[in-house]
Amino acid sequence: RMSRTSTPKAAKTRRSFLYSDLLTALRSRIANGSYPPGGRLPSLAELTKAFGVSAITVRRALRELVYEGLVQGHQGLGVFVKTKPRIHRVLAGDPDRSIGDEIRRAGFVPRLAELNQGAIKADDKIAARLGLRAGTSIFRHQKQTFANDEPVALHRLYMRPSLARTLQKELGNAFIFSLLKKHNIPIADLRCEFSSATVAEDESKLFQLPAGHPILRVDYTAIDPKGKPFLLGETLCRPDRFVFEVNLPQRGKSRPRRPAR
């Protein structure tokens, strides 16, 4: 009797695992470009054979992907990965436009979600960039940006406590450059570094991407009119959702060459 009553439960658990496993695999292949935007997913029969699951399981996973907005079905043609416009981030002159502005221009609705904030001890790298001693107490703020409820960026800010006291209450609901402008805090210079990174274990749930997935990292340092750094920022962006444009204006015009005599 015990075996008869336990078999349906075990089978149910197994089916649930297969569905979850298939859904995770399909999401991952869409995220890493194995199934590119605009491309057609394998047919129902092909997915059933490739993953060794039932047609019912495949249909259920595809319905979930449609609900999440990752794919769309076309009658008689198949299921296709949705194409999405990229968010065009422009860095030129004064950084007046925030990521939120660029998200709106791309046709999405931006949203911020505060993760945490508080005092930390500056490590060697952060202390050196802020011109402080290692171990000095500084303020850190972390939040996430969404585009139509899709997580697209993770932000970490590091600043001295004096600046944090001015901005702390508004950091969770505003983009940093807009906030600095609101409080008339000038940026004389903004130094940016672009590098590639991978999604860490604790970031995978935030981005809904597997750990180790490629990510774009932007580190920036804001310099005040006296030449001192007062704010550090670290932004992790989904590389499939962002394009960065950096304009480098010439500071002086070159003198025209005199014609040779």
Side-chain angles (χ1 to χ4, degrees), residues 126-157:
I126 292 176
R129 289 176 61 192
L130 279 174
L132 302 171
R133 290 184 179 181
T136 301
S137 180
I138 61 171
F139 181 83
R140 182 182 69 180
H141 185 272
Q142 297 189 90
K143 60 188 172 188
Q144 197 168 12
T145 298
F146 293 79
N148 283 3
D149 291 327
E150 178 188 28
V152 293
L154 173 64
H155 312 274
R156 296 187 179 101
L157 294 173

Side-chain angles (χ1 to χ4, degrees), residues 70-82:
L70 294 176
V71 302
Q72 57 186 351
H74 294 282
Q75 188 67 33
L77 297 176
V79 179
F80 293 79
V81 179
K82 277 191 174 181

Side-chain angles (χ1 to χ4, degrees), residues 237-248:
C237 302
R238 286 188 54 149
D240 60 328
R241 308 301 292 117
F242 280 89
V243 172
F244 277 82
E245 176 184 333
V246 180
N247 291 339
L248 304 175

Side-chain angles (χ1 to χ4, degrees), residues 97-133:
R97 287 187 297 193
S98 68
I99 286 183
D101 296 327
E102 312 293 15
I103 290 174
R104 289 188 189 93
R105 286 204 314 142
F108 302 106
V109 177
R111 178 172 66 85
L112 287 172
E114 187 174 59
L115 299 175
N116 53 66
Q117 59 169 286
I120 64 168
K121 300 295 183 181
D123 60 23
D124 292 342
K125 183 178 179 180
I126 292 176
R129 289 176 61 192
L130 279 174
L132 302 171
R133 290 184 179 181

Side-chain angles (χ1 to χ4, degrees), residues 15-254:
R15 283 197 298 271
S16 177
F17 169 75
L18 287 173
Y19 161 71
S20 176
D21 191 46
L22 174 61
L23 189 56
T24 299
L26 293 177
R27 283 199 197 107
S28 178
R29 293 188 182 190
I30 291 172
N32 65 27
S34 296
Y35 299 152
R40 186 176 70 86
L41 265 61
S43 67
L44 178 66
E46 289 170 334
L47 289 173
T48 300
K49 182 178 180 181
F51 290 94
V53 295
S54 67
I56 294 176
T57 299
V58 173
R59 290 193 184 96
R60 183 183 174 193
L62 292 178
R63 281 198 301 269
E64 183 67 23
L65 293 178
V66 170
Y67 176 76
E68 293 175 1
L70 294 176
V71 302
Q72 57 186 351
H74 294 282
Q75 188 67 33
L77 297 176
V79 179
F80 293 79
V81 179
K82 277 191 174 181
T83 57
K84 298 179 181 180
R86 289 193 174 189
I87 301 160
H88 197 100
R89 184 77 173 111
V90 180
L91 299 177
D94 296 330
D96 290 336
R97 287 187 297 193
S98 68
I99 286 183
D101 296 327
E102 312 293 15
I103 290 174
R104 289 188 189 93
R105 286 204 314 142
F108 302 106
V109 177
R111 178 172 66 85
L112 287 172
E114 187 174 59
L115 299 175
N116 53 66
Q117 59 169 286
I120 64 168
K121 300 295 183 181
D123 60 23
D124 292 342
K125 183 178 179 180
I126 292 176
R129 289 176 61 192
L130 279 174
L132 302 171
R133 290 184 179 181
T136 301
S137 180
I138 61 171
F139 181 83
R140 182 182 69 180
H141 185 272
Q142 297 189 90
K143 60 188 172 188
Q144 197 168 12
T145 298
F146 293 79
N148 283 3
D149 291 327
E150 178 188 28
V152 293
L154 173 64
H155 312 274
R156 296 187 179 101
L157 294 173
Y158 303 91
M159 64 190 76
R160 301 184 184 191
S162 57
L163 179 59
R165 284 192 289 271
T166 301
L167 305 179
Q168 186 173 0
K169 293 182 179 180
E170 300 173 85
L171 283 170
N173 301 311
F175 293 95
I176 185 60
F177 295 126
S178 302
L179 199 53
L180 292 174
K181 185 177 182 180
K182 175 184 176 181
H183 287 272
N184 296 315
I185 300 173
I187 300 177
D189 194 11
L190 185 66
R191 302 169 186 170
C192 299
E193 296 180 3
F194 300 86
S195 60
S196 61
T198 56
V199 176
E201 288 285 349
D202 60 338
E203 298 164 348
S204 61
K205 289 185 178 180
L206 296 174
F207 278 105
Q208 298 176 12
L209 293 173
H213 191 277
I215 202 84
L216 175 64
R217 174 170 173 159
V218 182
D219 290 279
Y220 55 89
T221 304
I223 311 297
D224 68 17
K226 295 181 179 180
K228 295 182 179 181
F230 68 93
L231 173 72
L232 303 183
E234 172 191 322
T235 297
L236 300 178
C237 302
R238 286 188 54 149
D240 60 328
R241 308 301 292 117
F242 280 89
V243 172
F244 277 82
E245 176 184 333
V246 180
N247 291 339
L248 304 175
Q250 293 183 350
R251 293 190 175 182
K253 295 181 180 180
S254 60

